[in-house]
Amino acid sequence: MALQNGYSIDSSPLDESGDTTPLLKKEVVDVDDSVPPQCCSARCNLAIMMFFGFSVIYGLRVNLSVAMVAMVNGTKSQPSLNSSGGHECPVSSHGNGSQTPDQPDGIPLYLWDSLTQGLLLGAFFFGYLVTQIPGGYLAGHFGGSIFLGGGVLGTAALTLLTPLAAQLGPYWLFGLRALEGFGEGVTFPAMMAMWARWAPPLERSRLMTLSGSGANFGAFVALPLTGFICHSLGWPAVFYMFGGAGCIWAVFWFILVSDQPGTHPRISTREKDYIINSIGKGGGNHGWSVPLLPMMLSVPLWAIIVSQMCANWGNCILLTSLPTYMDTVLHFDLRQNAFLSALPYLGGWAFSVISGVVADSLLEKELLSVTAVRKIFTITGLLLPAAFLVAVGYSGCSGVLAVTFLTLSSTAGGTSAAGAFINQIDIAPRYAGVLLGITNTFGTIPGVVAPIITGYLTKDQSLAGWRSVFCLSAGISAVGAFIFTLFGSGEVQKWALVEVDQEQAETKRDRFIPIHDR
């Protein structure tokens, strides 16, 4: 399908016909101007490179969650056997309980209590908060490839220093993890800024969910791999190997990737023209100025912010605290812990990719509007996981039930990838990077707060404490679904069309100025 007259669905209403109907419905079949195939295309290759990039990013982010189990002297940091919590579930049913896993000779262990561990696990997000908005703003102006690649490279290099920082003390490790978050904070806004220039409107969902699904895939691979490395080589090897992998990926990224189709050395002319014409002017650089006040007063933007904060609360619980739950409550040994902690991410990865394909199919067939599609996938991606999290809280000492419900929760949550998490590019394509920086800044707050609150609620490692953690997370997710259902939108906002309208108006005016008056 080709877009009629070369316009895109993001075009301003100021077109030559004066027609204000969304151009999503203005499609005609033209054999000579058909859509280039996605397989082996430059845009598909970009999505694959981003997929592996975000796999590395999440590997760097979550490795401490499992390594923490091996780093901490479990015989002295956990509650005593006589305490009311921590040993409600039988240790012998699954493994070695919360005892520190065997480490090779010479590997240091640390006496960090649950509150210290919560602070260290949340330290990453302190730095992650800072660079979201600046990263999105600069990526929207200069292009996102340098920021995405540089963010991964910087985080990977800092990860190599983790064993040294841990040896120096928890304050040093806290600072290092915060710096890693500082470097990684630019990556997602940079991705959104790049897709604003690369993703044809009718392929946005599948391309963006494919690239973003690398996060779930990275967690799925990194968690069990971390457990295996900790058991076989010792926990310091985890950070050396993951940091090295990030550096290697960055080399390929800078060689193979370009900021936009027009500068890509290997893209076909057919694909380049298709992408540029389908996106239109709305996907270009936004310049140095952005309509900040209209953004902050935009109700659809706040709907994204609230829903993303609520969804991220549950994600952060799984990301940072699930291995601790597996260890201290269900008493899985390190290798079981790592594998079972990773299992929920497998379903989330599969469903995030599938949701993108389904969402684009609904739009291509004109069965639903963009607004309806985003709301449906957000509701399913928040309410269903909330219900399963409540079930986890009441699964008691059954490891089978707990892992099953956690997997179902994360799997259902994958559908939100085609909902509010990519809605920024719908309401303001030109400012997509900035908007993602704004929404991710707010969305990172749960990453800072959730581990600390979890550490407080579970200081006695009791079933009741963890039930409170899961039920609180479920309630917050339900609030996010409700808010986005009421106030979310898939329409391009007026403040995002101002510059495009002005450019088109000036072009139309110039057409009617007599030559002798120019």
Side-chain angles (χ1 to χ4, degrees), residues 16 36 79 117 129 153 227 236 325 335 466:
E16 292 188 23
Q117 294 177 51
L129 272 169
L153 180 61
Y325 171 70
R335 283 172 291 183
W466 281 100

Side-chain angles (χ1 to χ4, degrees), residues 71-82:
M71 295 169 71
V72 174
N73 190 332
T75 61
K76 297 183 180 180
S77 63
Q78 303 299 338
S80 67
L81 290 169
N82 295 325

